Amino acid sequence: MPHEIPPRSGTAFLLQRGRRLAVIDPRGEQVADLLAFNHDDPGEAISSGRTFDYASKIYLTAGDPLYSNRSNIMLDIVEDSVGRHDFLLTPCSKDTFRIIYGDEDPHRGCFGNLAAALAPYGISEDMIPTAFNCFMNVPVDGKSGKLTVEPPLSKAGDRIVFEARMDLIIGLTACSALQSNNGSFKPIHWQID
Ligand SMILES: [Zn+2]
């Protein structure tokens, strides 16, 4: 049975090298922010910039590796039933909701949820990089570079599966931003095989 992350919350757990992590969208149109840190040295973390450099593209899917800030492969994407994820935008946060939505009493967002879940592993807020945003749909205009946050393309039961290439600390959320999730907050499921 998969684990469930309730709406607008997050968790952290260990993923051993060689194990597979499935991130599942049980109802459809729900984003999950994923972070990875080297278990033996959490100063090594997932890096969007390194990954884009080596992939020469910004949309990643099955067959693509996700690199660390030290240019080691942390995870391979081994299955993907959606084919559209985002690796450009930072985890939603109090500041996201204040600046973009004008909330006066903002939710702590994926950033706050990740920081709380990762604190017991010795990972502080300033160590949190851009997350791999499973199912997030951010089309980019190729000429102007303008980007928009659109509803996820994921349907109920869609999944993306990662295989760990080193022992990892994983942070994972059910995203808290209205716009990213087509206006409603839903759970995320995950499972290690
Ligand atoms: Zn979020």
Side-chain angles (χ1 to χ4, degrees):
M1 283 294 289
H3 302 269
E4 179 165 301
I5 303 174
R8 298 193 111 181
S9 68
T11 188
F13 50 86
L14 301 180
L15 182 68
Q16 288 179 304
R17 185 165 67 90
R19 304 294 294 271
R20 289 186 171 202
L21 168 66
V23 178
I24 303 146
D25 181 352
R27 299 193 197 163
E29 298 189 328
Q30 175 61 44
V31 169
D33 287 21
L34 179 142
L35 291 175
F37 298 85
N38 181 339
H39 174 262
D40 299 324
D41 180 358
E44 180 168 21
I46 191 168
S47 169
S48 55
R50 296 282 175 203
T51 301
F52 292 155
D53 269 4
Y54 309 136
S56 297
K57 61 180 180 180
I58 59 169
Y59 296 133
L60 304 163
T61 185
D64 290 322
L66 304 180
Y67 284 86
S68 74
N69 54 331
R70 297 177 191 163
S71 296
N72 298 308
I73 297 175
M74 301 192 106
L75 295 155
D76 283 313
I77 304 174
V78 293
E79 280 180 49
D80 179 8
S81 65
V82 178
R84 175 56 63 87
H85 313 279
D86 169 69
F87 206 7
L88 291 168
L89 301 183
T90 54
C92 63
S93 66
K94 265 188 174 356
D95 298 313
T96 312
F97 298 135
R98 184 174 54 79
I99 293 167
I100 296 182
Y101 297 82
D103 285 0
E104 286 175 8
D105 183 23
H107 189 271
R108 67 183 184 175
C110 287
F111 185 84
N113 287 330
L114 288 163
L118 290 163
Y121 296 93
I123 294 163
S124 63
E125 286 190 355
D126 287 344
M127 295 166 70
I128 293 179
T130 300
F132 184 84
N133 302 309
C134 306
F135 314 124
M136 191 175 185
N137 182 16
V138 183
V140 179
D141 181 90
K143 274 237 185 301
S144 67
K146 186 173 172 53
L147 52 83
T148 52
V149 177
E150 301 290 337
L153 301 180
S154 50
K155 305 276 189 289
D158 272 331
R159 63 173 53 207
I160 180 168
V161 182
F162 306 87
E163 184 170 314
R165 295 280 294 272
M166 63 175 75
D167 290 343
L168 296 170
I169 302 158
I170 298 288
L172 190 65
T173 69
C175 177
S176 304
L178 273 171
Q179 196 180 357
S180 308
N181 302 292
N182 202 17
S184 64
F185 304 123
K186 301 162 292 287
I188 282 291
H189 289 177
W190 62 274
Q191 183 170 316
I192 295 175
D193 291 302

